[in-house]
PDB file of all heavy atoms in Angstrom:
ATOM      1  N   ALA A  21     -31.120   7.034  -4.027  1.00 98.00           N
ATOM      2  CA  ALA A  21     -30.863   7.700  -5.420  1.00 98.00           C
ATOM      3  C   ALA A  21     -29.789   8.760  -5.169  1.00 98.00           C
ATOM      4  O   ALA A  21     -28.909   8.993  -6.097  1.00 98.00           O
ATOM      5  CB  ALA A  21     -32.220   8.393  -5.825  1.00 98.00           C
ATOM      6  N   PHE A  22     -29.849   9.447  -4.112  1.00 98.00           N
ATOM      7  CA  PHE A  22     -28.845  10.391  -3.771  1.00 98.00           C
ATOM      8  C   PHE A  22     -27.387   9.619  -3.503  1.00 98.00           C
ATOM      9  O   PHE A  22     -26.379  10.136  -3.983  1.00 98.00           O
ATOM     10  CB  PHE A  22     -29.159  11.284  -2.611  1.00 98.00           C
ATOM     11  CG  PHE A  22     -30.206  12.267  -2.943  1.00 98.00           C
ATOM     12  CD1 PHE A  22     -31.506  12.073  -2.590  1.00 98.00           C
ATOM     13  CD2 PHE A  22     -29.911  13.360  -3.760  1.00 98.00           C
ATOM     14  CE1 PHE A  22     -32.510  12.992  -2.845  1.00 98.00           C
ATOM     15  CE2 PHE A  22     -30.960  14.401  -4.058  1.00 98.00           C
ATOM     16  CZ  PHE A  22     -32.169  14.109  -3.653  1.00 98.00           C
ATOM     17  N   GLN A  23     -27.434   8.718  -2.829  1.00 98.00           N
ATOM     18  CA  GLN A  23     -26.126   7.926  -2.484  1.00 98.00           C
ATOM     19  C   GLN A  23     -25.581   7.403  -3.801  1.00 98.00           C
ATOM     20  O   GLN A  23     -24.248   7.552  -4.005  1.00 98.00           O
ATOM     21  CB  GLN A  23     -26.553   6.749  -1.595  1.00 98.00           C
ATOM     22  CG  GLN A  23     -25.266   5.897  -1.289  1.00 98.00           C
ATOM     23  CD  GLN A  23     -25.555   4.741  -0.345  1.00 98.00           C
ATOM     24  OE1 GLN A  23     -26.699   4.529   0.171  1.00 98.00           O
ATOM     25  NE2 GLN A  23     -24.653   3.807  -0.250  1.00 98.00           N
ATOM     26  N   LYS A  24     -26.415   6.976  -4.766  1.00 98.00           N
ATOM     27  CA  LYS A  24     -25.780   6.447  -6.079  1.00 98.00           C
ATOM     28  C   LYS A  24     -25.269   7.788  -6.727  1.00 98.00           C
ATOM     29  O   LYS A  24     -24.059   7.591  -7.363  1.00 98.00           O
ATOM     30  CB  LYS A  24     -26.990   5.934  -6.939  1.00 98.00           C
ATOM     31  CG  LYS A  24     -26.545   5.387  -8.144  1.00 98.00           C
ATOM     32  CD  LYS A  24     -27.588   4.766  -9.008  1.00 98.00           C
ATOM     33  CE  LYS A  24     -27.204   4.118 -10.257  1.00 98.00           C
ATOM     34  NZ  LYS A  24     -26.892   5.143 -11.239  1.00 98.00           N
ATOM     35  N   ALA A  25     -25.838   8.828  -6.764  1.00 98.00           N
ATOM     36  CA  ALA A  25     -25.294  10.034  -7.530  1.00 98.00           C
ATOM     37  C   ALA A  25     -24.002  10.368  -6.766  1.00 98.00           C
ATOM     38  O   ALA A  25     -23.029  10.835  -7.422  1.00 98.00           O
ATOM     39  CB  ALA A  25     -26.297  11.167  -7.515  1.00 98.00           C
ATOM     40  N   TYR A  26     -23.912  10.433  -5.479  1.00 98.00           N
ATOM     41  CA  TYR A  26     -22.769  10.910  -4.798  1.00 98.00           C
ATOM     42  C   TYR A  26     -21.606   9.934  -5.035  1.00 98.00           C
ATOM     43  O   TYR A  26     -20.396  10.349  -5.224  1.00 98.00           O
ATOM     44  CB  TYR A  26     -23.030  11.011  -3.299  1.00 98.00           C
ATOM     45  CG  TYR A  26     -24.036  11.873  -2.812  1.00 98.00           C
ATOM     46  CD1 TYR A  26     -24.878  11.733  -1.722  1.00 98.00           C
ATOM     47  CD2 TYR A  26     -24.314  13.121  -3.476  1.00 98.00           C
ATOM     48  CE1 TYR A  26     -25.879  12.621  -1.282  1.00 98.00           C
ATOM     49  CE2 TYR A  26     -25.302  14.001  -3.207  1.00 98.00           C
ATOM     50  CZ  TYR A  26     -26.034  13.757  -2.066  1.00 98.00           C
ATOM     51  OH  TYR A  26     -27.068  14.622  -1.678  1.00 98.00           O
ATOM     52  N   GLU A  27     -21.899   8.615  -5.023  1.00 98.00           N
ATOM     53  CA  GLU A  27     -20.813   7.659  -5.151  1.00 98.00           C
ATOM     54  C   GLU A  27     -20.225   7.705  -6.566  1.00 98.00           C
ATOM     55  O   GLU A  27     -19.087   7.519  -6.643  1.00 98.00           O
ATOM     56  CB  GLU A  27     -21.373   6.255  -4.903  1.00 98.00           C
ATOM     57  CG  GLU A  27     -21.570   6.050  -3.385  1.00 98.00           C
ATOM     58  CD  GLU A  27     -22.289   4.615  -3.105  1.00 98.00           C
ATOM     59  OE1 GLU A  27     -22.760   3.964  -4.155  1.00 98.00           O
ATOM     60  OE2 GLU A  27     -22.324   4.263  -2.067  1.00 98.00           O
ATOM     61  N   GLU A  28     -21.057   8.065  -7.608  1.00 98.00           N
ATOM     62  CA  GLU A  28     -20.492   8.143  -9.004  1.00 98.00           C
ATOM     63  C   GLU A  28     -19.628   9.384  -9.042  1.00 98.00           C
ATOM     64  O   GLU A  28     -18.674   9.270  -9.780  1.00 98.00           O
ATOM     65  CB  GLU A  28     -21.790   8.330  -9.947  1.00 98.00           C
ATOM     66  CG  GLU A  28     -22.644   6.980 -10.136  1.00 98.00           C
ATOM     67  CD  GLU A  28     -23.796   7.066 -10.984  1.00 98.00           C
ATOM     68  OE1 GLU A  28     -24.006   8.254 -11.450  1.00 98.00           O
ATOM     69  OE2 GLU A  28     -24.483   6.087 -11.364  1.00 98.00           O
ATOM     70  N   LEU A  29     -19.976  10.433  -8.331  1.00 98.00           N
ATOM     71  CA  LEU A  29     -19.152  11.630  -8.547  1.00 98.00           C
ATOM     72  C   LEU A  29     -17.802  11.319  -7.743  1.00 98.00           C
ATOM     73  O   LEU A  29     -16.758  11.784  -8.138  1.00 98.00           O
ATOM     74  CB  LEU A  29     -19.815  12.773  -7.969  1.00 98.00           C
ATOM     75  CG  LEU A  29     -21.064  13.367  -8.709  1.00 98.00           C
ATOM     76  CD1 LEU A  29     -21.732  14.420  -8.042  1.00 98.00           C
ATOM     77  CD2 LEU A  29     -20.469  13.880 -10.135  1.00 98.00           C
ATOM     78  N   ARG A  30     -17.985  10.689  -6.500  1.00 98.00           N
ATOM     79  CA  ARG A  30     -16.671  10.281  -5.847  1.00 98.00           C
ATOM     80  C   ARG A  30     -15.782   9.473  -6.595  1.00 98.00           C
ATOM     81  O   ARG A  30     -14.548   9.803  -6.707  1.00 98.00           O
ATOM     82  CB  ARG A  30     -17.157   9.590  -4.530  1.00 98.00           C
ATOM     83  CG  ARG A  30     -15.949   9.026  -3.724  1.00 98.00           C
ATOM     84  CD  ARG A  30     -16.482   7.905  -2.893  1.00 98.00           C
ATOM     85  NE  ARG A  30     -16.979   6.731  -3.632  1.00 98.00           N
ATOM     86  CZ  ARG A  30     -17.583   5.750  -3.058  1.00 98.00           C
ATOM     87  NH1 ARG A  30     -18.073   5.775  -1.799  1.00 98.00           N
ATOM     88  NH2 ARG A  30     -18.099   4.748  -3.937  1.00 98.00           N
ATOM     89  N   ASP A  31     -16.364   8.456  -7.379  1.00 98.00           N
ATOM     90  CA  ASP A  31     -15.480   7.521  -8.101  1.00 98.00           C
ATOM     91  C   ASP A  31     -14.979   8.184  -9.366  1.00 98.00           C
ATOM     92  O   ASP A  31     -13.937   7.739  -9.824  1.00 98.00           O
ATOM     93  CB  ASP A  31     -16.554   6.277  -8.562  1.00 98.00           C
ATOM     94  CG  ASP A  31     -16.849   5.397  -7.358  1.00 98.00           C
ATOM     95  OD1 ASP A  31     -16.238   5.605  -6.295  1.00 98.00           O
ATOM     96  OD2 ASP A  31     -17.700   4.659  -7.621  1.00 98.00           O
ATOM     97  N   ALA A  32     -15.499   9.400  -9.857  1.00 97.00           N
ATOM     98  CA  ALA A  32     -15.010  10.054 -10.964  1.00 97.00           C
ATOM     99  C   ALA A  32     -13.967  11.095 -10.468  1.00 97.00           C
ATOM    100  O   ALA A  32     -13.449  11.853 -11.305  1.00 97.00           O
ATOM    101  CB  ALA A  32     -16.098  10.756 -11.588  1.00 97.00           C
ATOM    102  N   GLY A  33     -13.708  11.145  -9.182  1.00 97.00           N
ATOM    103  CA  GLY A  33     -12.725  12.116  -8.692  1.00 97.00           C
ATOM    104  C   GLY A  33     -12.949  13.272  -7.938  1.00 97.00           C
ATOM    105  O   GLY A  33     -12.330  14.047  -7.505  1.00 97.00           O
ATOM    106  N   ALA A  34     -14.351  13.469  -7.569  1.00 97.00           N
ATOM    107  CA  ALA A  34     -14.808  14.571  -6.808  1.00 97.00           C
ATOM    108  C   ALA A  34     -14.138  14.464  -5.522  1.00 97.00           C
ATOM    109  O   ALA A  34     -14.054  13.401  -4.863  1.00 97.00           O
ATOM    110  CB  ALA A  34     -16.276  14.607  -6.781  1.00 97.00           C
ATOM    111  N   GLU A  35     -13.849  15.635  -4.858  1.00 97.00           N
ATOM    112  CA  GLU A  35     -13.276  15.613  -3.413  1.00 97.00           C
ATOM    113  C   GLU A  35     -14.298  16.084  -2.397  1.00 97.00           C
ATOM    114  O   GLU A  35     -14.117  15.902  -1.353  1.00 97.00           O
ATOM    115  CB  GLU A  35     -11.893  16.416  -3.431  1.00 97.00           C
ATOM    116  CG  GLU A  35     -10.915  15.962  -4.296  1.00 97.00           C
ATOM    117  CD  GLU A  35      -9.775  16.870  -4.439  1.00 97.00           C
ATOM    118  OE1 GLU A  35      -9.450  17.683  -3.622  1.00 97.00           O
ATOM    119  OE2 GLU A  35      -8.953  16.781  -5.564  1.00 97.00           O
ATOM    120  N   HIS A  36     -15.257  16.907  -2.936  1.00 98.00           N
ATOM    121  CA  HIS A  36     -16.262  17.345  -1.980  1.00 98.00           C
ATOM    122  C   HIS A  36     -17.489  17.610  -2.923  1.00 98.00           C
ATOM    123  O   HIS A  36     -17.299  17.922  -4.229  1.00 98.00           O
ATOM    124  CB  HIS A  36     -15.908  18.682  -1.395  1.00 98.00           C
ATOM    125  CG  HIS A  36     -16.844  18.942  -0.135  1.00 98.00           C
ATOM    126  ND1 HIS A  36     -16.577  18.729   1.157  1.00 98.00           N
ATOM    127  CD2 HIS A  36     -18.140  19.531  -0.161  1.00 98.00           C
ATOM    128  CE1 HIS A  36     -17.468  19.093   1.867  1.00 98.00           C
ATOM    129  NE2 HIS A  36     -18.566  19.532   1.162  1.00 98.00           N
ATOM    130  N   ILE A  37     -18.793  17.425  -2.361  1.00 98.00           N
ATOM    131  CA  ILE A  37     -19.966  17.636  -3.087  1.00 98.00           C
ATOM    132  C   ILE A  37     -20.817  18.657  -2.199  1.00 98.00           C
ATOM    133  O   ILE A  37     -20.962  18.542  -1.131  1.00 98.00           O
ATOM    134  CB  ILE A  37     -20.736  16.292  -3.215  1.00 98.00           C
ATOM    135  CG1 ILE A  37     -20.022  15.238  -4.169  1.00 98.00           C
ATOM    136  CG2 ILE A  37     -22.121  16.503  -3.830  1.00 98.00           C
ATOM    137  CD1 ILE A  37     -20.480  13.808  -4.124  1.00 98.00           C
ATOM    138  N   ILE A  38     -21.465  19.548  -3.000  1.00 98.00           N
ATOM    139  CA  ILE A  38     -22.458  20.327  -2.456  1.00 98.00           C
ATOM    140  C   ILE A  38     -23.765  20.108  -3.147  1.00 98.00           C
ATOM    141  O   ILE A  38     -23.799  20.173  -4.324  1.00 98.00           O
ATOM    142  CB  ILE A  38     -22.148  21.880  -2.701  1.00 98.00           C
ATOM    143  CG1 ILE A  38     -20.701  22.313  -2.174  1.00 98.00           C
ATOM    144  CG2 ILE A  38     -23.169  22.774  -2.035  1.00 98.00           C
ATOM    145  CD1 ILE A  38     -20.288  23.679  -2.526  1.00 98.00           C
ATOM    146  N   SER A  39     -24.638  19.613  -2.340  1.00 98.00           N
ATOM    147  CA  SER A  39     -25.887  19.198  -2.868  1.00 98.00           C
ATOM    148  C   SER A  39     -27.090  20.151  -2.437  1.00 98.00           C
ATOM    149  O   SER A  39     -27.385  20.273  -1.261  1.00 98.00           O
ATOM    150  CB  SER A  39     -26.262  17.683  -2.306  1.00 98.00           C
ATOM    151  OG  SER A  39     -27.245  17.109  -2.952  1.00 98.00           O
ATOM    152  N   ILE A  40     -27.693  20.821  -3.377  1.00 98.00           N
ATOM    153  CA  ILE A  40     -28.496  21.936  -3.183  1.00 98.00           C
ATOM    154  C   ILE A  40     -29.922  21.615  -3.726  1.00 98.00           C
ATOM    155  O   ILE A  40     -30.178  21.273  -4.728  1.00 98.00           O
ATOM    156  CB  ILE A  40     -27.995  23.312  -3.939  1.00 98.00           C
ATOM    157  CG1 ILE A  40     -26.549  23.473  -3.560  1.00 98.00           C
ATOM    158  CG2 ILE A  40     -28.861  24.464  -3.653  1.00 98.00           C
ATOM    159  CD1 ILE A  40     -25.854  24.547  -4.480  1.00 98.00           C
ATOM    160  N   HIS A  41     -30.993  21.935  -2.712  1.00 98.00           N
ATOM    161  CA  HIS A  41     -32.222  21.368  -3.075  1.00 98.00           C
ATOM    162  C   HIS A  41     -33.371  22.340  -2.737  1.00 98.00           C
ATOM    163  O   HIS A  41     -33.190  23.358  -1.950  1.00 98.00           O
ATOM    164  CB  HIS A  41     -32.522  20.013  -2.334  1.00 98.00           C
ATOM    165  CG  HIS A  41     -31.497  19.100  -2.759  1.00 98.00           C
ATOM    166  ND1 HIS A  41     -31.541  18.353  -4.063  1.00 98.00           N
ATOM    167  CD2 HIS A  41     -30.355  18.582  -2.112  1.00 98.00           C
ATOM    168  CE1 HIS A  41     -30.462  17.587  -4.221  1.00 98.00           C
ATOM    169  NE2 HIS A  41     -29.685  17.721  -3.053  1.00 98.00           N
ATOM    170  N   ILE A  42     -34.606  22.020  -3.169  1.00 97.00           N
ATOM    171  CA  ILE A  42     -35.875  22.641  -2.915  1.00 97.00           C
ATOM    172  C   ILE A  42     -36.081  22.773  -1.469  1.00 97.00           C
ATOM    173  O   ILE A  42     -35.692  21.949  -0.676  1.00 97.00           O
ATOM    174  CB  ILE A  42     -36.978  21.990  -3.666  1.00 97.00           C
ATOM    175  CG1 ILE A  42     -38.376  22.814  -3.390  1.00 97.00           C
ATOM    176  CG2 ILE A  42     -37.183  20.585  -3.153  1.00 97.00           C
ATOM    177  CD1 ILE A  42     -39.643  22.230  -4.175  1.00 97.00           C
ATOM    178  N   SER A  43     -36.686  23.926  -1.000  1.00 96.00           N
ATOM    179  CA  SER A  43     -36.794  24.311   0.544  1.00 96.00           C
ATOM    180  C   SER A  43     -37.478  23.151   1.152  1.00 96.00           C
ATOM    181  O   SER A  43     -38.439  22.546   0.800  1.00 96.00           O
ATOM    182  CB  SER A  43     -37.817  25.482   0.516  1.00 96.00           C
ATOM    183  OG  SER A  43     -38.005  25.708   1.890  1.00 96.00           O
ATOM    184  N   GLU A  44     -36.928  22.793   2.346  1.00 96.00           N
ATOM    185  CA  GLU A  44     -37.517  21.712   3.144  1.00 96.00           C
ATOM    186  C   GLU A  44     -38.886  22.085   3.655  1.00 96.00           C
ATOM    187  O   GLU A  44     -39.505  21.057   4.192  1.00 96.00           O
ATOM    188  CB  GLU A  44     -36.518  21.336   4.289  1.00 96.00           C
ATOM    189  CG  GLU A  44     -36.345  22.408   5.255  1.00 96.00           C
ATOM    190  CD  GLU A  44     -35.271  21.949   6.252  1.00 96.00           C
ATOM    191  OE1 GLU A  44     -34.803  20.756   6.400  1.00 96.00           O
ATOM    192  OE2 GLU A  44     -34.533  22.828   6.924  1.00 96.00           O
ATOM    193  N   THR A  45     -39.205  23.281   3.513  1.00 92.00           N
ATOM    194  CA  THR A  45     -40.747  23.632   3.923  1.00 92.00           C
ATOM    195  C   THR A  45     -41.685  23.187   2.862  1.00 92.00           C
ATOM    196  O   THR A  45     -42.841  23.164   3.159  1.00 92.00           O
ATOM    197  CB  THR A  45     -40.911  25.135   4.168  1.00 92.00           C
ATOM    198  OG1 THR A  45     -40.538  25.787   3.034  1.00 92.00           O
ATOM    199  CG2 THR A  45     -39.863  25.552   5.222  1.00 92.00           C
ATOM    200  N   LEU A  46     -41.221  22.805   1.707  1.00 92.00           N
ATOM    201  CA  LEU A  46     -42.010  22.449   0.618  1.00 92.00           C
ATOM    202  C   LEU A  46     -41.933  20.935   0.332  1.00 92.00           C
ATOM    203  O   LEU A  46     -42.828  20.453  -0.373  1.00 92.00           O
ATOM    204  CB  LEU A  46     -41.826  23.226  -0.629  1.00 92.00           C
ATOM    205  CG  LEU A  46     -41.976  24.734  -0.474  1.00 92.00           C
ATOM    206  CD1 LEU A  46     -41.407  25.507  -1.761  1.00 92.00           C
ATOM    207  CD2 LEU A  46     -43.379  25.192  -0.184  1.00 92.00           C
ATOM    208  N   SER A  47     -40.695  20.416   0.547  1.00 93.00           N
ATOM    209  CA  SER A  47     -40.549  19.026   0.235  1.00 93.00           C
ATOM    210  C   SER A  47     -39.593  18.225   1.133  1.00 93.00           C
ATOM    211  O   SER A  47     -38.693  18.989   1.813  1.00 93.00           O
ATOM    212  CB  SER A  47     -39.928  19.093  -1.198  1.00 93.00           C
ATOM    213  OG  SER A  47     -39.361  17.732  -1.595  1.00 93.00           O
ATOM    214  N   ALA A  48     -39.707  16.954   1.044  1.00 95.00           N
ATOM    215  CA  ALA A  48     -38.819  16.122   1.964  1.00 95.00           C
ATOM    216  C   ALA A  48     -37.485  15.753   1.135  1.00 95.00           C
ATOM    217  O   ALA A  48     -36.721  14.974   1.722  1.00 95.00           O
ATOM    218  CB  ALA A  48     -39.535  14.840   2.259  1.00 95.00           C
ATOM    219  N   THR A  49     -37.181  16.350   0.092  1.00 97.00           N
ATOM    220  CA  THR A  49     -36.033  16.062  -0.745  1.00 97.00           C
ATOM    221  C   THR A  49     -34.772  16.289   0.090  1.00 97.00           C
ATOM    222  O   THR A  49     -33.852  15.487  -0.041  1.00 97.00           O
ATOM    223  CB  THR A  49     -36.076  16.893  -2.031  1.00 97.00           C
ATOM    224  OG1 THR A  49     -37.261  16.573  -2.824  1.00 97.00           O
ATOM    225  CG2 THR A  49     -34.931  16.599  -2.932  1.00 97.00           C
ATOM    226  N   VAL A  50     -34.658  17.407   0.786  1.00 98.00           N
ATOM    227  CA  VAL A  50     -33.483  17.741   1.568  1.00 98.00           C
ATOM    228  C   VAL A  50     -33.158  16.615   2.610  1.00 98.00           C
ATOM    229  O   VAL A  50     -32.080  16.214   2.758  1.00 98.00           O
ATOM    230  CB  VAL A  50     -33.613  19.095   2.278  1.00 98.00           C
ATOM    231  CG1 VAL A  50     -32.510  19.300   3.337  1.00 98.00           C
ATOM    232  CG2 VAL A  50     -33.457  20.134   1.337  1.00 98.00           C
ATOM    233  N   ASP A  51     -34.069  16.127   3.237  1.00 98.00           N
ATOM    234  CA  ASP A  51     -33.969  15.032   4.228  1.00 98.00           C
ATOM    235  C   ASP A  51     -33.442  13.767   3.491  1.00 98.00           C
ATOM    236  O   ASP A  51     -32.685  13.062   4.109  1.00 98.00           O
ATOM    237  CB  ASP A  51     -35.350  14.723   4.892  1.00 98.00           C
ATOM    238  CG  ASP A  51     -35.588  15.870   5.872  1.00 98.00           C
ATOM    239  OD1 ASP A  51     -34.936  16.540   6.359  1.00 98.00           O
ATOM    240  OD2 ASP A  51     -36.924  15.881   6.092  1.00 98.00           O
ATOM    241  N   ALA A  52     -34.119  13.508   2.265  1.00 98.00           N
ATOM    242  CA  ALA A  52     -33.577  12.218   1.649  1.00 98.00           C
ATOM    243  C   ALA A  52     -32.084  12.482   1.255  1.00 98.00           C
ATOM    244  O   ALA A  52     -31.248  11.530   1.319  1.00 98.00           O
ATOM    245  CB  ALA A  52     -34.406  11.994   0.372  1.00 98.00           C
ATOM    246  N   ALA A  53     -31.624  13.636   0.799  1.00 98.00           N
ATOM    247  CA  ALA A  53     -30.381  13.948   0.348  1.00 98.00           C
ATOM    248  C   ALA A  53     -29.465  13.850   1.532  1.00 98.00           C
ATOM    249  O   ALA A  53     -28.306  13.333   1.491  1.00 98.00           O
ATOM    250  CB  ALA A  53     -30.233  15.342  -0.196  1.00 98.00           C
ATOM    251  N   ARG A  54     -29.901  14.365   2.712  1.00 98.00           N
ATOM    252  CA  ARG A  54     -29.020  14.252   4.024  1.00 98.00           C
ATOM    253  C   ARG A  54     -28.769  12.772   4.407  1.00 98.00           C
ATOM    254  O   ARG A  54     -27.710  12.333   4.758  1.00 98.00           O
ATOM    255  CB  ARG A  54     -29.730  15.062   5.129  1.00 98.00           C
ATOM    256  CG  ARG A  54     -29.587  16.562   4.906  1.00 98.00           C
ATOM    257  CD  ARG A  54     -30.489  17.259   6.021  1.00 98.00           C
ATOM    258  NE  ARG A  54     -30.418  18.634   5.925  1.00 98.00           N
ATOM    259  CZ  ARG A  54     -31.238  19.526   6.238  1.00 98.00           C
ATOM    260  NH1 ARG A  54     -32.394  19.077   6.832  1.00 98.00           N
ATOM    261  NH2 ARG A  54     -31.101  20.836   6.093  1.00 98.00           N
ATOM    262  N   THR A  55     -29.841  12.054   4.318  1.00 98.00           N
ATOM    263  CA  THR A  55     -29.726  10.620   4.621  1.00 98.00           C
ATOM    264  C   THR A  55     -28.797   9.862   3.604  1.00 98.00           C
ATOM    265  O   THR A  55     -27.943   9.115   4.094  1.00 98.00           O
ATOM    266  CB  THR A  55     -31.029   9.904   4.560  1.00 98.00           C
ATOM    267  OG1 THR A  55     -31.933  10.479   5.579  1.00 98.00           O
ATOM    268  CG2 THR A  55     -30.978   8.402   5.020  1.00 98.00           C
ATOM    269  N   GLY A  56     -28.874  10.236   2.416  1.00 98.00           N
ATOM    270  CA  GLY A  56     -28.084   9.639   1.333  1.00 98.00           C
ATOM    271  C   GLY A  56     -26.565  10.037   1.575  1.00 98.00           C
ATOM    272  O   GLY A  56     -25.754   9.201   1.293  1.00 98.00           O
ATOM    273  N   ALA A  57     -26.426  11.183   2.074  1.00 98.00           N
ATOM    274  CA  ALA A  57     -25.066  11.795   2.299  1.00 98.00           C
ATOM    275  C   ALA A  57     -24.372  10.965   3.530  1.00 98.00           C
ATOM    276  O   ALA A  57     -23.194  10.604   3.395  1.00 98.00           O
ATOM    277  CB  ALA A  57     -24.967  13.204   2.705  1.00 98.00           C
ATOM    278  N   LYS A  58     -25.131  10.698   4.406  1.00 98.00           N
ATOM    279  CA  LYS A  58     -24.655   9.909   5.492  1.00 98.00           C
ATOM    280  C   LYS A  58     -24.325   8.562   5.241  1.00 98.00           C
ATOM    281  O   LYS A  58     -23.422   7.933   5.926  1.00 98.00           O
ATOM    282  CB  LYS A  58     -25.812   9.895   6.634  1.00 98.00           C
ATOM    283  CG  LYS A  58     -25.897  11.315   7.466  1.00 98.00           C
ATOM    284  CD  LYS A  58     -27.081  11.201   8.414  1.00 98.00           C
ATOM    285  CE  LYS A  58     -27.369  12.516   9.014  1.00 98.00           C
ATOM    286  NZ  LYS A  58     -28.429  12.463  10.040  1.00 98.00           N
ATOM    287  N   GLN A  59     -24.885   8.022   4.177  1.00 98.00           N
ATOM    288  CA  GLN A  59     -24.769   6.611   3.844  1.00 98.00           C
ATOM    289  C   GLN A  59     -23.630   6.413   2.822  1.00 98.00           C
ATOM    290  O   GLN A  59     -23.190   5.429   2.376  1.00 98.00           O
ATOM    291  CB  GLN A  59     -26.021   6.075   3.187  1.00 98.00           C
ATOM    292  CG  GLN A  59     -27.293   5.857   4.167  1.00 98.00           C
ATOM    293  CD  GLN A  59     -28.535   5.518   3.532  1.00 98.00           C
ATOM    294  OE1 GLN A  59     -29.553   5.311   4.192  1.00 98.00           O
ATOM    295  NE2 GLN A  59     -28.494   5.373   2.172  1.00 98.00           N
ATOM    296  N   THR A  60     -23.091   7.586   2.332  1.00 98.00           N
ATOM    297  CA  THR A  60     -22.050   7.657   1.380  1.00 98.00           C
ATOM    298  C   THR A  60     -20.686   7.799   2.005  1.00 98.00           C
ATOM    299  O   THR A  60     -20.460   8.722   2.778  1.00 98.00           O
ATOM    300  CB  THR A  60     -22.150   8.823   0.359  1.00 98.00           C
ATOM    301  OG1 THR A  60     -23.431   8.660  -0.197  1.00 98.00           O
ATOM    302  CG2 THR A  60     -21.131   8.649  -0.689  1.00 98.00           C
ATOM    303  N   GLU A  61     -19.857   6.677   1.791  1.00 97.00           N
ATOM    304  CA  GLU A  61     -18.457   6.664   2.237  1.00 97.00           C
ATOM    305  C   GLU A  61     -17.423   7.199   1.386  1.00 97.00           C
ATOM    306  O   GLU A  61     -17.617   7.303   0.220  1.00 97.00           O
ATOM    307  CB  GLU A  61     -18.152   5.332   2.774  1.00 97.00           C
ATOM    308  CG  GLU A  61     -19.046   4.629   3.774  1.00 97.00           C
ATOM    309  CD  GLU A  61     -18.731   3.334   4.196  1.00 97.00           C
ATOM    310  OE1 GLU A  61     -17.825   2.677   3.496  1.00 97.00           O
ATOM    311  OE2 GLU A  61     -19.292   2.740   5.077  1.00 97.00           O
ATOM    312  N   GLY A  62     -16.388   7.824   1.996  1.00 97.00           N
ATOM    313  CA  GLY A  62     -15.212   8.105   1.228  1.00 97.00           C
ATOM    314  C   GLY A  62     -15.255   9.604   0.580  1.00 97.00           C
ATOM    315  O   GLY A  62     -14.356   9.957  -0.152  1.00 97.00           O
ATOM    316  N   ILE A  63     -16.247  10.431   0.997  1.00 98.00           N
ATOM    317  CA  ILE A  63     -16.262  11.785   0.415  1.00 98.00           C
ATOM    318  C   ILE A  63     -17.125  12.698   1.443  1.00 98.00           C
ATOM    319  O   ILE A  63     -18.114  12.147   1.954  1.00 98.00           O
ATOM    320  CB  ILE A  63     -16.834  11.766  -1.052  1.00 98.00           C
ATOM    321  CG1 ILE A  63     -16.622  13.281  -1.670  1.00 98.00           C
ATOM    322  CG2 ILE A  63     -18.258  11.340  -1.070  1.00 98.00           C
ATOM    323  CD1 ILE A  63     -16.938  13.346  -2.976  1.00 98.00           C
ATOM    324  N   ASP A  64     -16.683  13.901   1.528  1.00 97.00           N
ATOM    325  CA  ASP A  64     -17.517  14.851   2.249  1.00 97.00           C
ATOM    326  C   ASP A  64     -18.477  15.412   1.442  1.00 97.00           C
ATOM    327  O   ASP A  64     -18.294  15.909   0.256  1.00 97.00           O
ATOM    328  CB  ASP A  64     -16.622  15.973   2.940  1.00 97.00           C
ATOM    329  CG  ASP A  64     -15.598  15.346   3.973  1.00 97.00           C
ATOM    330  OD1 ASP A  64     -16.010  14.526   4.682  1.00 97.00           O
ATOM    331  OD2 ASP A  64     -14.480  15.957   4.056  1.00 97.00           O
ATOM    332  N   ILE A  65     -19.775  15.610   2.082  1.00 98.00           N
ATOM    333  CA  ILE A  65     -20.855  16.152   1.350  1.00 98.00           C
ATOM    334  C   ILE A  65     -21.571  17.192   2.168  1.00 98.00           C
ATOM    335  O   ILE A  65     -21.806  16.922   3.339  1.00 98.00           O
ATOM    336  CB  ILE A  65     -21.890  14.949   0.966  1.00 98.00           C
ATOM    337  CG1 ILE A  65     -21.162  13.956   0.078  1.00 98.00           C
ATOM    338  CG2 ILE A  65     -23.075  15.588   0.243  1.00 98.00           C
ATOM    339  CD1 ILE A  65     -21.949  12.614   0.038  1.00 98.00           C
TER     340      ILE A  65
END
């Protein structure tokens, strides 16, 4: 889900993405975002 969001922004012309999420002490969301970022090519996140 994060990879898809990142790729859409990349394809729309974004040069860098800052992805900001709920505390990792409360949720695994940050981990999912980090994995999605690693899987996304062509843009720094």
Side-chain angles (χ1 to χ4, degrees):
F22 287 103
Q23 182 181 350
K24 181 175 183 292
Y26 299 150
E27 289 176 344
E28 288 177 354
L29 290 173
R30 177 201 63 196
D31 295 345
E35 298 172 25
H36 196 102
I37 295 169
I38 303 176
S39 196
I40 306 170
H41 302 286
I42 182 174
S43 174
E44 61 185 342
T45 62
L46 301 175
S47 170
T49 302
V50 168
D51 287 337
R54 287 173 179 151
T55 301
K58 290 177 181 178
Q59 295 172 175
T60 305
E61 299 179 351
I63 188 169
D64 291 328
I65 303 166

